[in-house]
């Protein structure tokens, strides 16, 4: 079981993508040297930088059994700090009761109104997928591999995109502040195709 690590592009690459601005908070004018973290071009009469294609939305509903087409949805979640048993998140056990996946779509969480300098922090807990055990829609992708759970901490200046079918824990805020997120994904209104859950009994006790 891996220990808690900072969320970075490279560490999270097997599960999706991290979105964060490469500019320092102190940067208040257009840089003379453009960052290479993303493909960046000047915009808005050179009063802004446009970072191109920072994440990719994927729509795989053409393979869904219902054949009902999906549309892009944007919802907002207000996530409150989870109750913890100690003062510092690094020492806290986190109970993982549910893992979920969205078998036909990516899902992007975008924090609102917080940055890397605030006390807001959230966890990204993911697991790879085991080989499929059957041919039903639920079994086709396979269950989560609980022996290879990965866990990351993210600050308010980072957004995260879960790849199609990536098993993950529902959003867990563990800082001192509520965090609000805009969540972007495809959905067709068929519950089993939009989101699938595995309830862990007994719950997995993650030590951060």
């Amino acid at each position: 079981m891996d220990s808690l690590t900072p969320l970075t592009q490279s560490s999270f690459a097997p599960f999706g993508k991290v979105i964060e601005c490469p500019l320092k908070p102190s940067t208040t004018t257009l840089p003379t040297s453009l960052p290479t973290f993303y493909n960046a071009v000047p915009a808005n009469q050179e009063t802004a930088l446009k970072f191109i294609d920072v994440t990719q939305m994927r729509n795989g509903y053409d393979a869904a059994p219902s054949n009902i087409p999906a549309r892009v949805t944007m919802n907002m979640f207000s996530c409150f700090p989870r109750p913890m048993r100690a003062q510092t998140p690094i020492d806290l056990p986190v109970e993982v009761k549910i893992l979920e996946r969205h078998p036909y779509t990516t899902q992007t969480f975008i924090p609102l109104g917080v940055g890397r300098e605030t006390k807001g922090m959230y966890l990204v807990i993911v697991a790879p997928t085991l080989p499929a055990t059957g041919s039903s829609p639920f079994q086709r992708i396979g269950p989560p591999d609980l022996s290879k759970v990965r866990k990351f901490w993210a600050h308010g200046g980072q957004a995260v995109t879960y790849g199609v079918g990536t098993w993950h824990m529902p959003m867990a805020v563990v800082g001192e502040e509520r965090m609000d997120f805009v969540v972007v994904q495809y959905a067709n209104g068929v519950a089993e195709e939009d989101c699938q859950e595995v309830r862990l009994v007994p719950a997995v006790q993650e030590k951060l």
Side-chain angles (χ1 to χ4, degrees), residues 54-181:
V54 296
T55 192
Q56 295 78 44
M57 297 297 296
R58 304 294 187 197
N59 179 4
Y61 278 85
D62 55 348
S66 72
N67 294 318
I68 296 175
R71 63 179 182 86
V72 174
T73 64
M74 296 181 68
N75 302 306
M76 186 169 68
F77 287 73
S78 289
C79 299
F80 303 95
R82 297 204 178 202
M84 297 297 180
R85 300 176 186 172
Q87 296 300 313
T88 57
I90 303 304
D91 298 326
L92 301 175
V94 174
E95 197 173 53
V96 183
K97 298 181 179 180
I98 293 176
L99 290 178
E100 65 178 36
R101 68 180 174 196
H102 308 281
Y104 303 105
T105 179
T106 51
Q107 186 185 48
T108 299
F109 281 81
I110 306 168
L112 297 177
V114 292
R116 65 172 64 241
E117 305 302 323
T118 71
K119 296 179 181 179
M121 189 176 91
Y122 64 98
L123 300 181
V124 175
I125 297 179
V126 291
T129 302
L130 289 169
T133 57
S135 58
S136 74
F138 185 80
Q139 296 172 319
R140 184 169 56 187
I141 300 177
D145 185 349
L146 299 181
S147 69
K148 296 180 180 178
V149 170
R150 297 288 307 277
K151 47 188 184 290
F152 308 90
W153 66 266
H155 58 72
Q158 295 176 304
V160 62
T161 297
Y162 294 107
V164 174
T166 297
W167 288 106
H168 61 278
M169 181 183 176
M171 180 55 65
V173 170
V174 294
E176 298 179 10
E177 304 171 355
R178 186 193 85 238
M179 294 183 71
D180 303 322
F181 297 84

Side-chain angles (χ1 to χ4, degrees), residues 13-46:
F15 305 100
K17 194 159 187 179
V18 180
I19 310 164
E20 59 183 319
C21 182
L23 300 178
K24 295 180 180 179
S26 58
T27 302
T28 58
T29 59
L30 190 73
T32 55
S33 177
L34 298 183
T36 58
F37 191 83
Y38 297 116
N39 183 14
V41 296
N44 300 350
Q45 298 78 53
E46 297 193 347

